[in-house]
């Protein structure tokens, strides 16, 4: 997975995401902000999942589902690519 496009995005702690290349803005929930911040640091999927498990009281199945859902949404928005 190439998260290259994420490096150019501005992300606030409150979930405001701005893509300066297109001028588009997005609003992310707390979990999505947590994930995107890790992806911007080029953390591998397994490291992101482990961090989610440490941060939130959820099952591995739930963090995998949340991660994959967000990745799909980011792809659809053109913010990441395979």
């Amino acid at each position: 997975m190439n998260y290259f496009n994420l490096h150019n995005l501005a992300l606030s702690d409150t979930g405001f995401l701005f893509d300066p290349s297109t001028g588009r803005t997005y609003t992310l929930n707390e979990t999505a902000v947590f994930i995107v911040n890790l992806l911007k640091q080029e953390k591998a999927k397994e490291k992101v999942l482990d961090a989610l498990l440490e941060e939130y009281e959820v099952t591995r199945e739930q963090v995998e589902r949340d991660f994959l859902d967000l990745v799909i949404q980011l792809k659809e928005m053109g913010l990441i690519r395979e």
Side-chain angles (χ1 to χ4, degrees):
M1 185 74 57
N2 181 349
Y3 303 114
F4 170 75
N5 295 4
L6 294 179
H7 295 289
N8 301 323
L9 302 176
L11 177 61
S12 75
D13 291 336
T14 59
F16 180 76
L17 181 69
F18 175 68
D19 183 351
S21 66
T22 64
R24 291 185 177 149
T25 59
Y26 308 93
T27 303
L28 304 179
N29 67 25
E30 176 185 338
T31 306
V33 170
F34 187 82
I35 294 170
V36 170
N37 276 323
L38 292 172
L39 295 177
K40 286 181 74 158
Q41 297 172 32
E42 299 183 13
K43 300 288 185 189
K45 175 185 174 183
E46 288 305 314
K47 295 287 185 188
V48 173
L49 297 179
D50 290 342
L52 284 164
L53 285 169
E54 286 180 29
E55 184 72 18
Y56 301 99
E57 294 183 22
V58 293
T59 65
R60 180 102 182 159
E61 179 181 285
Q62 182 64 49
V63 297
E64 287 177 357
R65 186 172 41 246
D66 289 349
F67 178 83
L68 291 175
D69 286 347
L70 179 62
V71 167
I72 289 168
Q73 291 175 10
L74 293 172
K75 282 183 197 175
E76 289 174 352
M77 291 185 271
L79 300 176
I80 60 173
R81 59 180 177 216
E82 295 263 12

